[in-house]
């Protein structure tokens, strides 16, 4: 912002060096490392202050806002296990006044900086900024959310406020980064690189879930003890599955050593299984298999080492299951015993359908929708969850909400499938992981995944603009094209 207001400062403050740093892999490593430190060692407040300082430096002394992308993607996964507001309602720092004052101060300053930076960017560009092409569909979806239960006794201001929050989580950073980040000078492999790093950090967080709470008993693992500060095993599985396509991108685009990223893709899938989330395992398998198939097809004549990796991974998996059968059963016994038990979801879906039929046009609103409820005072803002995004859309927002969602989903599919590229394939895998796991869970109605989803949309939209500009001059081949030279 200062650079825009006082151009002469650029000669003193070397904004180009700062801009280069914020676009580099080292900056992403720093942000992801801070996220991991916060989650593993309960140092959230210190990390939040560090992130705020980096955000202030980036916004003040560089022209665009790329420094905010890694922070926005990592913030959701930075809460320590001991501060989980549901599992540790009596001791979590999120109910301590001293912590809350500082937390809301940091959040308030960050939001203020984002709004001021956005305004100054619009002024500096004279209002000539890209119009986000998906914004219309998102606005329609937000309106449908806010009208949940309308024209019935079920409508309440709570639903309106929650619907507004959902809309902002999906759209605000999507619009902000679409308009303020100079994606033309951002390496095309930037977001896959960031989510490869996040995936590695998620592997560490999953390992910590097994270590921190002594989850092993004499016979099995207690799945109820598999949680982080920001979610239970289902939430962790969703994020881990969203990362599977990131190393697959580099497996295809790297000129040398691409097979190492195929190994990393397999590791991400295995760690998704170790979350012991049934939905995560089921749909993580779909994403993992699709990523492997994508690697084998897109690498063309370079596929031989990738085939060997896939065969080796399958062989090791089979060996673990049969040679070390006793250990396999100890780890996954509770999951095996659970089997296909719907955990009361079937009865809940029936209740949601009955609720939908009471007001088919607009549903019954979010807070009158049948679902699992939070008992912690820290989560009273969150409405009951039906553990199925699509059933919840019908029950909470009726035909209007489901129609709005379908139109938005059609928009995203057109964006991702037209002018195909490796970058869009990565986004497609990530969004597919979120949408598929939302069939048996409420991930799409969680604010953290919603924010990350918006950033994926911004990246995909700018990739579409770039591909359209390039292809207007010359065709761009799909297979064998290197996008990773900046990072590999």
């Amino acid at each position: 912002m200062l650079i825009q207001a006082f151009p002469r400062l650029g000669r003193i403050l070397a904004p180009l060096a700062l801009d280069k740093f914020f676009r580099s892999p080292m900056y992403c490593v720093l942000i992801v490392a801070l996220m991991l430190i916060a989650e593993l060692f309960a140092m959230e407040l210190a990390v939040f202050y560090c992130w705020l300082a980096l955000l202030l430096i980036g916004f003040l002394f560089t022209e665009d806002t790329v420094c905010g992308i890694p922070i926005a993607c990592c913030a959701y996964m930075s809460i320590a296990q001991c501060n989980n507001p549901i599992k540790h309602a009596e001791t979590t720092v999120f109910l301590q006044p001293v912590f809350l004052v500082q937390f809301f101060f940091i959040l308030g300053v960050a939001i203020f900086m984002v709004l001021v930076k956005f305004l100054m960017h619009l002024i500096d560009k004279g209002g000539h900024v890209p119009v986000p092409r998906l914004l219309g569909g998102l606005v329609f979806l937000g309106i449908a959310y806010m009208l949940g239960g309308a024209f019935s006794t079920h409508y309440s201001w709570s639903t309106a406020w929650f619907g507004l929050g959902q809309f902002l989580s999906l759209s605000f950073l999507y619009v902000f980064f679409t308009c303020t980040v100079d994606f033309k000078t951002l390496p095309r492999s930037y977001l896959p690189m960031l989510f490869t790093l996040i995936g590695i950090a998620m592997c560490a967080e999953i390992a910590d879930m097994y270590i921190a709470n002594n989850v092993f008993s004499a016979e099995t693992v207690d799945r109820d003890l598999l949680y982080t500060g920001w979610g239970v095993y289902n939430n962790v599985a969703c994020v881990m599955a969203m990362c599977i396509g990131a190393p697959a991108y580099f497996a295809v685009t790297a000129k040398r050593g691409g097979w190492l990223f195929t190994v990393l893709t397999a590791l991400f899938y295995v760690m998704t299984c170790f979350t012991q989330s049934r939905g995560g395992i089921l749909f993580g398998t779909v994403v993992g298999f699709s990523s492997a198939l994508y690697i084998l097809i897109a690498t063309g004549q370079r596929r031989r080492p990738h085939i060997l990796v896939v065969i080796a991974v399958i062989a090791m998996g089979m060996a673990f299951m049969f040679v070390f059968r006793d250990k396999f059963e100890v780890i996954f016994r509770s999951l095996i015993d659970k089997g296909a038990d719907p955990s009361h979801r079937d009865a809940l879906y029936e209740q949601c359908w009955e609720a939908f039929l009471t007001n088919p046009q607009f549903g019954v609103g979010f807070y009158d929708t049948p679902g699992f409820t939070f008992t912690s005072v820290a989560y009273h803002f969150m409405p009951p969850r039906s553990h199925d995004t699509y059933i919840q859309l019908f029950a909470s927002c009726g035909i209007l909400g489901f129609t709005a969602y379908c139109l938005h989903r059609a928009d995203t599919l057109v964006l991702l499938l037209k002018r195909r590229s490796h970058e869009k394939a990565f986004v497609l895998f990530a969004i597919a992981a979120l949408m598929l796991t939302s069939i048996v869970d409420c991930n799409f109605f969680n604010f953290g995944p919603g924010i990350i989803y918006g950033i994926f949309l911004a990246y995909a939209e700018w990739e579409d603009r770039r591909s359209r500009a390039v292809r207007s001059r010359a065709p761009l081949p799909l297979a064998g094209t290197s996008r990773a030279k900046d990072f590999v």
Side-chain angles (χ1 to χ4, degrees):
M1 292 187 293
L2 290 179
I3 295 297
Q4 292 165 322
F6 306 100
R8 292 185 179 181
L9 285 176
R11 303 173 186 174
I12 303 172
L13 298 173
L16 292 179
L18 278 174
D19 185 71
K20 185 176 181 180
F21 169 67
F22 287 128
R23 293 169 183 272
S24 70
M26 291 309 301
Y27 176 68
C28 292
V29 169
L30 173 63
I31 299 302
V32 174
L34 287 172
M35 175 196 77
L36 196 56
I37 289 171
E39 202 280 335
L40 295 182
F41 303 106
M43 297 179 62
E44 296 97 330
L45 207 55
V47 168
F48 293 163
Y49 275 119
C50 289
W51 283 346
L52 181 63
L54 290 167
L55 200 65
L56 290 173
I57 293 170
F59 280 14
L60 287 172
F61 302 123
T62 61
E63 291 189 3
D64 74 359
T65 61
V66 69
C67 66
I69 292 179
I71 295 174
C73 290
C74 291
Y76 174 59
M77 292 85 72
S78 63
I79 309 303
Q81 185 184 80
C82 63
N83 289 321
N84 186 302
I86 297 177
K87 300 289 187 178
H88 302 282
E90 296 181 356
T91 59
T92 176
V93 295
F94 285 93
L95 291 181
Q96 297 177 7
V98 174
F99 179 91
L100 287 176
V101 168
Q102 296 182 77
F103 173 75
F104 283 112
F105 167 77
I106 294 170
L107 184 62
V109 172
I111 292 174
F112 176 76
M113 290 294 296
V114 165
L115 294 175
V116 172
K117 182 71 172 180
F118 198 9
L119 179 61
M120 293 194 66
H121 188 85
L122 292 176
I123 294 173
D124 184 59
K125 299 296 182 181
H128 299 295
V129 294
V131 178
R133 59 181 290 183
L134 302 179
L135 182 58
L138 283 170
V139 169
F140 183 28
L141 183 61
I143 292 173
Y145 281 169
M146 296 176 68
L147 289 178
F151 305 105
S152 75
T153 57
H154 299 285
Y155 189 71
S156 68
W157 281 107
S158 296
T159 282
W161 282 113
F162 182 76
L164 178 62
Q166 285 288 304
F167 165 68
L168 291 176
S169 72
L170 296 172
S171 63
F172 181 72
L173 289 184
Y174 158 64
V175 174
F176 177 69
F177 287 127
T178 299
C179 295
T180 61
V181 172
D182 185 8
F183 282 92
K184 295 188 296 295
T185 59
L186 194 68
R188 301 179 81 167
S189 53
Y190 181 85
L191 208 62
M193 177 269 301
L194 174 60
F195 275 85
T196 298
L197 294 172
I198 289 175
I200 294 171
M202 284 298 99
C203 292
E205 291 197 12
I206 291 169
D208 183 64
M209 291 196 307
Y210 280 84
I211 298 170
N213 274 350
N214 192 25
V215 299
F216 288 94
S217 64
E219 298 179 354
T220 186
V221 168
D222 186 353
R223 287 202 310 154
D224 290 336
L225 295 178
L226 292 175
Y227 62 89
T228 63
W230 48 274
V232 297
Y233 49 82
N234 289 329
N235 307 115
V236 179
C238 172
V239 175
M240 190 74 256
M242 290 175 70
C243 294
I244 290 175
Y249 167 88
F250 288 109
V252 170
T253 59
K255 289 182 178 180
R256 295 180 298 274
W259 65 271
L260 293 172
F261 291 101
T262 302
V263 173
L264 197 57
T265 303
L267 174 63
F268 285 7
Y269 166 66
V270 170
M271 294 307 289
T272 302
C273 294
F274 270 91
T275 63
Q276 303 214 28
S277 165
R278 290 175 296 168
I281 293 173
L282 174 62
F283 296 114
T285 299
V286 174
V287 175
F289 176 81
S290 300
S291 297
L293 190 62
Y294 157 70
I295 291 171
L296 296 179
I297 293 174
T299 49
Q301 297 179 350
R302 299 180 289 113
R303 68 170 60 98
R304 180 176 297 177
H306 302 281
I307 294 175
L308 295 177
V309 169
V310 172
I311 293 173
V313 169
I314 294 174
M316 286 188 292
M318 298 295 289
F320 179 78
M321 291 177 63
F322 291 101
V323 178
F324 303 101
R325 182 175 178 179
D326 292 342
K327 293 186 177 182
F328 179 83
E329 290 186 354
V330 167
I331 296 174
F332 293 101
R333 168 55 58 193
S334 63
L335 184 65
I336 296 170
D337 290 343
K338 194 72 172 177
D341 181 1
S343 297
H344 306 293
R345 282 179 171 85
D346 50 348
L348 190 58
Y349 297 161
E350 292 179 9
Q351 295 172 26
C352 286
W353 187 252
E354 292 172 1
F356 160 71
L357 294 177
T358 64
N359 190 21
Q361 292 81 11
F362 298 97
V364 297
F366 285 102
Y367 291 87
D368 281 345
T369 297
F372 298 105
T373 58
F374 294 101
T375 57
S376 171
V377 66
Y379 271 83
H380 280 182
F381 177 68
M382 302 301 291
R385 306 299 189 88
S386 65
H387 280 264
D388 184 317
T389 294
Y390 312 102
I391 290 291
Q392 179 127 17
L393 279 168
F394 273 115
S396 299
C397 306
I399 295 173
L400 178 67
F402 190 76
T403 301
Y405 175 86
C406 289
L407 290 175
H408 169 64
R409 186 58 54 232
D411 281 346
T412 57
L413 287 175
V414 170
L415 173 66
L416 294 173
L417 297 179
K418 191 175 182 180
R419 288 181 288 273
R420 295 185 300 275
S421 67
H422 296 313
E423 292 74 25
K424 286 188 179 182
F426 151 70
V427 175
L428 182 62
F429 286 135
I431 291 180
L434 175 59
M435 296 301 103
L436 289 172
T437 56
S438 294
I439 293 175
V440 292
D441 225 309
C442 46
N443 295 311
F444 194 65
F445 286 110
N446 287 332
F447 290 104
I451 290 171
I452 295 172
Y453 173 77
I455 294 172
F456 277 125
L457 295 184
Y459 174 79
E461 185 164 326
W462 267 103
E463 169 56 28
D464 185 71
R465 295 174 189 272
R466 178 156 35 188
S467 296
R468 184 166 45 189
V470 170
R471 294 186 185 196
S472 65
R473 296 191 295 270
L476 188 65
L478 179 62
T481 302
S482 176
R483 304 286 188 222
K485 62 181 180 180
D486 297 284
F487 300 110
V488 179

